[in-house]
Amino acid sequence: MRAKITYLVTAAVLVFYFVLVGSRGVMLIQSGTLLTVTFGVAVLVLPVIGVWFLWKNTQFVRKANQLAAELDTEGGLPADELRRLPSGRIDRDSADEVFVRRKAETEESPDDWRCWFRLAVAYHDARDTPRARKAMQRAIALHDGRPLGV
């Protein structure tokens, strides 16, 4: 729940920022000189990119959460079998052991979104966020029946 609140607060701050920057871009365009119009258009590009990025990330998180809920209903969520350090962080060797098993499971069933979801969790536990995201994107695409472009 704490992660959701943090995400919502961050998103709200970003939206406020996008509105503020966008209004400044409009003010620059309204000035009417070649230089200010050019800067105004350039400034407006930033909020557009930011809104697109925020939207894509929100959709990704929403879909990943839907898959987690579905997998939980099926009883297929991966169990937390990781050893932890005294600080509470995941032991890297433990994460690597689980990762090897999840990778083998995914190689045996490459068209099963459930395997890709569990592999994404294993990547995340092993602190490999880019690969975790790609694996989750593949799980989402397989679940939705879309062609695999990731």
Side-chain angles (χ1 to χ4, degrees), residues 92-111:
R92 182 66 181 233
D93 293 333
S94 175
D96 290 343
E97 291 170 14
V98 172
F99 171 78
V100 168
R101 290 199 314 268
R102 297 292 182 226
K103 185 175 180 188
E105 174 187 278
T106 304
E107 288 171 350
E108 290 174 15
S109 303
D111 296 329

Side-chain angles (χ1 to χ4, degrees), residues 57-137:
N57 278 301
T58 302
Q59 291 300 101
F60 174 77
V61 169
R62 188 183 60 76
K63 289 177 182 179
N65 285 338
Q66 286 175 346
L67 264 57
E70 186 173 333
L71 206 53
D72 187 31
T73 302
E74 297 174 359
L77 278 179
D80 186 4
E81 52 192 334
L82 300 168
R83 291 184 305 277
R84 305 223 180 245
L85 301 173
S87 64
R89 293 188 71 162
I90 295 171
D91 177 56
R92 182 66 181 233
D93 293 333
S94 175
D96 290 343
E97 291 170 14
V98 172
F99 171 78
V100 168
R101 290 199 314 268
R102 297 292 182 226
K103 185 175 180 188
E105 174 187 278
T106 304
E107 288 171 350
E108 290 174 15
S109 303
D111 296 329
D112 186 359
W113 68 266
R114 294 161 187 85
C115 293
W116 282 99
F117 182 95
R118 289 187 284 266
L119 180 63
V121 172
Y123 271 126
H124 182 267
D125 291 341
R127 299 186 196 122
D128 190 347
T129 304
R131 287 192 178 119
R133 189 170 182 89
K134 285 186 179 189
M136 187 60 73
Q137 287 170 338

